């Protein structure tokens, strides 16, 4: 009987962990232009990507274009598959795969990401951030902004926020200041976020927290590293599709050579991503 009760409790805990959901209601769409250097051996080679923050007084959700408009991307991919050819646009890929669910009321951030097509989430242990608000000010895009500094995941950051938009949010995990972050960058300027557009939504956009397994961040990082090693560079993620580079014995010599070349390029691309925004 005790074993049965314990088993039931364990099942309940697991189920609650996997299927815990929450709705995040947002009122604004904020676009940030992210300029960043992912290759520490070639810092002059910078990438540019538009990232999305949906936010409001109570909640915020930060994500890539691929995640923000995944339904439209999936529909387009399905149309392309039916036509017999696929064109991989720049918008289908992102170097920011994580989605951050921010609860401004309780000062916490939950991070959601996939490993081998399985969804995980963890609560960011460094939140709330320890901000130092300084007296320096400057005008950015017509907004009067004030300087603040903090530290996150191995990098020192400077943020410029404005009291003219009293929303305690910003790009990536950054939040908790008394106004929206207009510009943010690390001390080495490897990652630089600048406000691009800000728009009030005609109707609130609601985000449902995804069904996922809860894990602590340290274990998530270990799983992610293990998955990358085990993949042997044989998969390519595009949107919610995963393309597997084949190795079948019945493949033609030309196909085998094409696959080997694709693997080589994928391995090179991954090797160049050695300057991640989070250093640990």
């Amino acid at each position: 009987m005790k074993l049965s009760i314990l088993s039931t409790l364990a099942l309940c805990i697991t189920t609650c962990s996997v299927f815990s959901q929450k709705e995040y209601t947002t009122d604004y769409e904020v676009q940030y232009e992210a300029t960043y250097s992912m290759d520490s051996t070639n810092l002059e080679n910078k990438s540019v990507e538009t990232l999305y923050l949906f936010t409001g007084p109570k909640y915020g959700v930060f994500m890539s274009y691929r995640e923000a408009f995944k339904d439209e991307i999936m529909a387009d991919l399905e149309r392309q598959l039916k036509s017999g050819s696929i064109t991989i646009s720049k918008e289908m890929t992102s170097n920011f795969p994580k989605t951050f669910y921010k609860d401004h009321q309780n000062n916490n951030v939950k991070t959601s990401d996939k490993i081998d097509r399985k969804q995980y989430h963890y609560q960011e242990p460094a939140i709330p951030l320890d901000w130092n608000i300084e007296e320096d000010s400057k005008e950015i895009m017509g907004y009067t902004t004030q300087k603040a500094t903090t530290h996150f995941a191995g990098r020192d950051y400077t943020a410029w926020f404005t009291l003219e938009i009293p929303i305690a949010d910003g790009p990536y995990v950054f939040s908790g200041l008394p106004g929206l972050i207009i510009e943010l960058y690390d001390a080495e300027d490897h990652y630089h976020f600048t406000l691009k557009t800000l728009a009030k939504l005609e109707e609130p956009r609601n985000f449902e927290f995804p069904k996922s397994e809860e894990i602590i961040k340290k274990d998530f990082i270990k799983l992610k590293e293990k998955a990358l090693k085990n993949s042997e560079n044989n998969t390519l993620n595009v949107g919610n599709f995963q393309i597997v580079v084949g190795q079948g014995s019945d493949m033609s010599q030309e196909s085998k050579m094409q696959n080997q070349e694709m693997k080589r390029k994928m391995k090179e691309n991954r090797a160049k991503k050695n300057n991640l925004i989070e250093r640990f």
Side-chain angles (χ1 to χ4, degrees):
M1 178 63 73
K2 287 183 178 180
L3 182 59
S4 175
I5 293 172
L6 287 172
S7 299
T8 303
L9 285 171
L11 178 61
C12 178
I13 291 169
T14 303
T15 303
C16 292
S17 173
V18 173
F19 295 103
S20 175
Q21 294 183 37
K22 183 176 183 180
E23 194 172 76
Y24 290 70
T25 301
T26 63
D27 303 302
Y28 295 87
E29 179 190 293
V30 185
Q31 294 182 27
Y32 286 99
E33 183 175 271
T35 305
Y36 54 95
S37 305
M38 292 206 75
D39 186 358
S40 61
T41 66
N42 187 12
L43 293 172
E44 297 303 314
N45 182 23
K46 293 184 177 290
S47 299
V48 179
E49 185 175 341
T50 298
L51 299 168
Y52 287 75
L53 171 68
F54 295 89
T55 190
K58 296 181 179 180
Y59 303 108
V61 184
F62 183 82
M63 60 184 66
S64 66
Y65 174 91
R66 184 182 75 181
E67 186 64 26
F69 302 101
K70 60 185 176 184
D71 291 341
E72 292 87 342
I73 291 173
M74 287 290 290
D76 183 56
L77 280 172
E78 288 172 1
R79 284 193 295 269
Q80 291 188 52
L81 282 171
K82 289 178 181 178
S83 70
S85 64
I86 297 179
T87 302
I88 301 174
S89 67
K90 184 179 179 181
E91 288 77 15
M92 290 183 186
T93 62
S94 176
N95 286 315
F96 294 85
K98 297 176 180 178
T99 299
F100 301 99
Y101 294 83
K102 307 179 186 183
D103 184 339
H104 303 321
Q105 302 169 104
N106 297 305
N107 289 319
N108 69 56
V109 175
K110 290 182 179 179
T111 301
S112 177
D113 196 5
K114 283 183 179 178
I115 299 177
D116 289 340
R117 300 181 67 81
K118 181 176 180 180
Q119 197 79 35
Y120 292 90
H121 77 270
Y122 59 84
Q123 185 156 316
E124 178 54 59
I127 303 297
L129 293 167
D130 183 16
W131 287 105
N132 179 35
I133 298 178
E134 303 180 10
E135 294 183 359
D136 300 39
S137 64
K138 67 176 180 178
E139 185 174 303
I140 306 173
M141 295 181 64
Y143 296 105
T144 299
T145 67
Q146 191 170 348
K147 183 179 180 181
T149 57
T150 192
H151 182 88
F152 175 73
R155 295 181 187 272
D156 293 319
Y157 285 91
T158 295
W160 294 90
F161 68 95
T162 181
L163 297 174
E164 296 171 32
I165 308 172
I167 298 174
D169 213 341
Y172 209 68
V173 300
F174 299 94
S175 57
L177 288 167
L180 185 70
I181 295 174
I182 305 299
E183 185 177 17
L184 178 134
Y185 45 87
D186 69 290
E188 298 164 302
D189 204 31
H190 291 175
Y191 286 83
H192 197 129
F193 300 87
T194 306
L195 178 70
K196 192 174 179 181
T197 65
L198 166 66
K200 180 79 162 63
L201 297 170
E202 292 184 4
E203 295 182 358
R205 182 168 177 180
N206 298 319
F207 293 88
E208 190 174 86
F209 193 78
K211 295 179 180 180
S212 54
E213 181 177 328
E214 186 171 11
I215 193 171
I216 62 172
K217 186 174 184 177
K218 181 174 64 175
D219 291 343
F220 176 86
I221 293 170
K222 289 179 181 177
L223 279 177
K224 191 85 169 180
E225 291 174 346
K226 183 178 179 181
L228 285 172
K229 289 179 182 177
N230 291 342
S231 70
E232 296 294 332
N233 298 327
N234 288 334
T235 59
L236 175 64
N237 293 310
V238 181
N240 284 345
F241 286 99
Q242 189 175 66
I243 299 173
V244 180
V245 181
Q247 309 182 73
S249 58
D250 58 341
M251 294 172 63
S252 67
Q253 187 62 32
E254 182 181 357
S255 295
K256 287 180 179 178
M257 290 177 66
Q258 289 175 344
N259 280 335
Q260 287 300 322
E261 178 63 14
M262 186 180 289
K263 285 184 192 179
R264 185 188 66 77
K265 288 182 178 179
M266 289 165 64
K267 189 173 183 178
E268 282 183 359
N269 288 337
R270 285 177 176 167
K272 290 177 181 178
K273 295 180 180 181
N274 53 56
N275 186 35
L276 301 179
I277 187 169
E278 296 186 35
R279 285 176 163 160
F280 55 81

